[in-house]
Amino acid sequence: GRFGKWLEGARDWAISRSRYWGAPLPVWRCQNPACNELKVVGSVKEIVELSLRVTNRSEAISNSNVEIASVATLPRNDTTMDLHRPYIDQVKFKCNKCDGEMQRVPEVFDCWFESGAMPYASEYLFSDYELSAKTTREELRSHIAFPADFIAEGIDQTRGWFYTLLVLGVALYDESPFKNVVVNGIILAENGQKMSKRLKNYPDPQKVIDQYGADAMRFYLLSSGAVRGESLNFSEKGVDEVYKKVVLLTLNVLKFWQTYSDKISNFQFLISKLQGRSILDRWIIWCLASAINEVTDSLEKYEIDRACRTIVWLIDDLVSTWYVRRSRDRFKNEGQDKESAIMTLQFVLQELSKLLAPIAPFLAEYLYRESGGKKESVHLENWGQGKWVQEITESDDYKLDKQMEQVRQICEIGHRLRDETQVKVRQSLRRCQILKSKYQINAEGQILNGIIELIVDELNVKEVGIVETLPSGEGWISKDGVALYTIIDQELKAEGLVRELTRQINNLRKKQGLTIQDKVTVEYQTVEDALKQMIIKSKQELAKAVLASDFVEEENVEGAEIKVDGLLIIINLLKN
Ligand SMILES: [Zn+2]
């Protein structure tokens, strides 16, 4: 690759610079021209020992900060010991070979040499271990993180830091000091030009962070090709998209869970008790385990963008678009199934917070705490790939996932059929039929409990049949192995009106800022007999669906004028 090509053509590297500022070369030379002996000093300790043999001790003390007599006993982080010029140049000592005076050569290091010395230099600062030129590879490995699991920098460091680290590592210990390199590409302006202060062709990062949060920005960058060394045309729209798809969706799901979870205090989620619970719970746990495996694998291979994509898939496609959407009614009912749904979603949110922790740390922390995390912080948790993940992965539930995939496909086609005939989902239809040879939702010999009901609910049909040949003829439309019967009889029509009215009243509730704790009385006025009869007939069902204690017909109602299937009705909601 790129690095290999650079190495092939690498030339000699002059590591010294004739400058004043910089790390001084630790090389002393005998000033006797006939001798010219060189001494390379390998540690601070050695400098101190040598400097005790100083030729003119009093001069050295008076002209520098190097307090030669006491320096050996001082802790090394005491600023008294300054290894830079001019002080280091005061350290002179007698030559071993002749009587001449050893003096440091004037050069300093190329600053890239120091970047290459990072592993040893930073460990010198942060550990108690005293490195020296005599440190063996084994000693090094037992004291510092050498070689490092990974380093991360921009692609422009191919000839810079990546190279200098390698040169020093190989020269000193015959080994690369890093196992992996995460190379980020160049971030360009949205039109592909170089970002330029003069052209101001990029948004102010602080403003982007203020608007969308640091996590959205971070997630956006980590999910882009920039983490694979590709250049990225930075787009604020991209950050906005991440904000909506990751941050907002997660918060919406959390809020949904919080709305219904307050009455259940004793959460205990046991994977071993999954059998017999709703097919949706078992399915989402299977998906969660798959997602955890996928994210773990991605991160272990340093494919951060793949990890991000998996997380988006989990939040958006699996949890929000299907699990929560199809479980809404379960949360509203009472009983064991509701508890199972609440506990399952809590478990999903907790595990999701762990997956998010390295990528969106603030969102992860909020999610963890708000969904009942037990520790002080999600960042103190273990990584989520626990034993249960393996158990689920090895279980039979992959069949469930296969069936669910087909169900979702069938529903998608069903929705498209509805779109084509412009029959809204709110309007119930009589029948849906599925071609047996195309969809093996019963291929394992049985159709799982609850699978058909999912199609019934999602497509809002009265019955679903699996047939050898799809029906045709009046009222039937079909596509890709799915057929819908579109003729709407009187009963269906009435139901459609109920649903439509429900939706409109719930919109009014939302506009008035009512929560699920608020009950209302619905006052209404209409001249339409169809609506009047429908309300009287379906009063109970309506009341439950819009959290009303009663529906009362009044005259001169002052409220919102709404149309239900073209029929006018005036509605006023009175908070009880
Ligand atoms: Zn000499």
Side-chain angles (χ1 to χ4, degrees), residues 391-437:
E391 280 168 23
I392 293 289
T393 309
E394 286 166 2
S395 78
D396 259 3
D397 278 353
Y398 71 91
K399 293 179 191 167
L400 172 60
D401 188 43
K402 284 229 157 75
Q403 293 197 9
M404 193 66 89
E405 218 178 285
Q406 299 217 333
V407 164
R408 295 190 67 179
Q409 212 180 326
I410 290 164
C411 289
E412 217 183 294
I413 297 164
H415 281 308
R416 259 188 275 147
L417 283 172
R418 274 179 166 278
D419 280 350
E420 279 169 22
T421 46
Q422 299 191 329
V423 183
K424 287 180 181 156
V425 184
R426 285 187 295 280
Q427 174 61 60
S428 288
L429 291 178
R430 196 52 72 189
R431 273 178 215 98
C432 169
Q433 301 214 326
I434 297 160
L435 190 60
K436 196 174 178 180
S437 58

Side-chain angles (χ1 to χ4, degrees), residues 289-342:
S290 309
I292 291 172
N293 283 334
E294 178 78 6
V295 172
T296 306
D297 183 60
S298 308
L299 291 181
E300 273 170 1
K301 290 178 177 150
Y302 298 92
E303 295 170 9
I304 309 168
D305 50 337
R306 178 155 72 96
C308 290
R309 279 197 298 278
T310 305
I311 290 172
V312 173
W313 171 67
L314 176 65
I315 297 171
D316 183 2
D317 189 57
L318 304 179
V319 175
S320 175
T321 308
W322 195 249
Y323 178 76
V324 169
R325 178 186 164 86
R326 284 275 44 90
S327 294
R328 275 184 193 279
D329 288 342
R330 303 174 57 213
F331 281 86
K332 289 173 189 166
N333 295 332
E334 293 301 327
Q336 267 197 331
D337 187 49
K338 173 184 179 156
E339 286 186 28
S340 176
I342 289 175

Side-chain angles (χ1 to χ4, degrees), residues 30 35 37 95 98:
C30 178
C35 176
E37 171 75 355
C95 175
C98 69

Side-chain angles (χ1 to χ4, degrees), residues 30-32 34-37 95-102:
C30 178
Q31 297 304 296
N32 175 1
C35 176
N36 252 337
E37 171 75 355
C95 175
N96 258 343
K97 285 217 168 147
C98 69
D99 231 14
E101 187 184 58
M102 302 287 280

